[in-house]
Amino acid sequence: MYGDTRQGTGGGGRARLRAIPGVGRPPWLLPLLLIVFGVIIDFLTPTSLLSSLMFAAPMAAAALWTGRGTVLTGIASAATVAALALWVDELTVLEGALRLMAITAVSVLAVAVHHALHHSELRLASVSRVAEAVQLAVLPVPPARIGDLKLAVRYEATQVNALIGGDMYGVQQTPYGVRMLVGDVRGKGLDAVASVTVMFGAFREAAETEPDLAAVADRIEHSLLREGEQREGNGRMEGFVTAVLAEIPAERPETLRVVNRGHPPPLLLSADGSSLRVLEPESYALPLGLGELASGGGHAEPVPFPPGALLLLYTDGVTEARDAEGVFYDPVARLRGRRFTGPEQLLDTLVADVEAYTGGGTDDDMALLAVMRDPVPSPAA
């Protein structure tokens, strides 16, 4: 089994962290500008006033610069205030001393603020590393290639630095072919992560031993129900999981089989971008965990998978994304007629398009998995 949190390069996965505005600019630039503009304002205002920009400069350094830079900014601000008081504003010794005491107090406070921010960043970095390790243990990164297949995965979390959720994906190379799974646990939090762990453990074992793909889904469901019964009274697991399983048989790599358990249907894009097929099942089966309510666990329907074609599996974070007017995102309409050179480009384009459509983010996590068969080389090549 393989998965990803969007870090590393093995399966084209990276965990997405939102950029902080202003990062990359010189950290001393803003404090310096505040001091310069403070001096200018001091020249243009009555001598009884002191620009608040002088007090803002150490605080800006505390947020943007190092501890040493914060101290230097405080010293520069105090020296500037003293110079203005003596030679420009011509204040009395008492008035000048009061101003100097005020800017010194603010500078000391800025150093304390920087110290607190620095330790908060260290704690956040430590928590992020632990979360990343847990995520990689639950959803390890897949290889970028298995035989003549190229793979890519993405996990797009709705919260910054959140690497763990109820969406999942997995890829397993088995004696029966390459088998894939994308699913979405109902709910969030630790219970959802527990369901993901059980589900992937069952998928990994069943994918190696079950000849029929529908039987793999049944084994996963059995594991979820069994684990749920064991947790009775100690915090039950989430009730059900929507999932889609796909298989590229070893004996017939030009085809693929799909079992859908209440999940958004996969998309199959042609190599030249001329067609996009929605792999709707003949009849939907109930989500995993609800199979006791009805018989029939889905059927693995064969679908042509020609060279150069791209298979896209995704969770409902894609289809439930909305624009400013509340209209849902339609991946079929947005991807139809477009040509992609590989699974990496497909997922990069899809993630960027969803973000642009929603104006910056979605309300639900997105798990994405794309697979492409190598195109047939041209005679010239």
Side-chain angles (χ1 to χ4, degrees):
M1 178 191 67
Y2 308 94
D4 173 62
T5 59
R6 282 197 78 180
Q7 54 259 4
T9 58
R14 296 181 294 275
R16 178 186 171 113
L17 303 181
R18 303 192 183 280
I20 301 175
V23 171
R25 300 173 183 172
W28 47 263
L29 181 59
L30 180 58
L32 176 62
L33 291 176
L34 290 174
I35 294 176
V36 171
F37 282 115
V39 172
I40 295 174
I41 293 175
D42 188 82
F43 273 100
L44 300 177
T45 56
T47 57
S48 59
L49 299 178
L50 177 63
S51 173
S52 60
L53 297 181
M54 290 295 182
F55 296 94
M59 287 299 180
L64 301 176
W65 209 356
T66 61
R68 179 177 297 179
T70 303
V71 173
L72 292 176
T73 302
I75 294 174
S77 298
T80 304
V81 168
L84 291 174
L86 291 175
W87 293 300
V88 178
D89 297 336
E90 298 181 351
L91 301 178
T92 66
V93 175
L94 178 60
E95 290 173 331
L98 290 176
R99 284 192 177 185
L100 188 59
M101 290 173 60
I103 193 65
T104 302
V106 171
S107 299
V108 172
L109 179 61
V111 173
V113 169
H114 173 81
H115 181 75
L117 290 175
H118 178 66
H119 280 273
S120 296
E121 291 174 357
L122 291 178
R123 287 195 296 268
L124 177 60
S126 177
V127 171
S128 297
R129 286 192 294 268
V130 172
E132 179 180 346
V134 173
Q135 181 76 359
L136 289 174
V138 176
L139 303 176
V141 178
R145 174 178 289 276
I146 300 178
D148 64 346
L149 302 175
K150 294 180 180 179
L151 300 99
V153 290
R154 294 287 187 275
Y155 192 100
E156 292 292 320
T158 56
Q159 297 180 350
V160 178
N161 296 329
L163 300 179
I164 302 177
D167 291 19
M168 80 284 287
Y169 35 67
V171 179
Q172 181 81 8
Q173 187 174 15
T174 75
Y176 310 102
V178 176
R179 287 174 165 175
M180 296 157 281
L181 167 69
V182 167
D184 186 1
V185 177
R186 181 184 66 86
K188 297 182 180 297
L190 294 179
D191 286 342
V193 176
S195 296
V196 169
T197 304
V198 172
M199 186 173 175
F200 272 123
F203 169 70
R204 184 174 185 177
E205 179 182 355
E208 289 284 344
T209 58
E210 293 290 347
D212 183 52
L213 189 62
V216 176
D218 292 337
R219 287 271 298 275
I220 297 173
E221 179 171 53
H222 177 72
S223 296
L224 289 171
L225 293 174
R226 180 184 58 199
E227 187 69 16
E229 292 174 355
Q230 293 176 354
R231 286 172 176 255
E232 184 76 40
N234 294 318
R236 294 203 60 175
M237 299 180 62
E238 297 296 337
F240 63 87
V241 182
T242 67
V244 60
L245 293 90
E247 172 189 77
I248 301 173
E251 73 281 0
R252 295 184 61 190
E254 72 282 356
T255 66
L256 63 90
R257 301 188 182 105
V258 176
V259 170
N260 196 315
R261 299 296 297 265
H263 199 77
L267 304 181
L268 185 62
L269 294 78
S270 62
D272 57 4
S274 61
S275 66
L276 187 155
R277 180 179 177 184
V278 182
L279 302 183
E280 293 273 5
E282 294 181 359
S283 61
Y284 277 92
L286 291 175
L288 299 172
L290 300 179
E292 295 177 330
L293 303 179
S295 59
H299 175 65
E301 304 165 8
V303 177
F305 190 43
L310 275 161
L311 175 67
L312 173 64
L313 304 119
Y314 54 93
T315 56
D316 59 9
V318 175
T319 54
E320 292 184 358
R322 305 188 189 195
D323 63 9
E325 298 179 355
V327 179
F328 289 107
Y329 183 88
D330 183 1
V332 176
R334 306 284 292 195
L335 297 177
R336 189 184 297 278
R338 305 182 69 170
R339 185 177 182 275
F340 302 97
T341 58
E344 286 276 357
Q345 185 192 15
L346 170 59
L347 296 190
D348 287 341
T349 301
L350 179 60
V351 170
D353 194 46
V354 171
E355 182 173 357
Y357 184 83
T358 59
T362 63
D363 296 330
D364 195 6
D365 294 354
M366 295 189 301
L368 310 170
L369 190 156
V371 184
M372 177 182 181
R373 278 195 68 196
D374 284 339
V376 174
S378 64

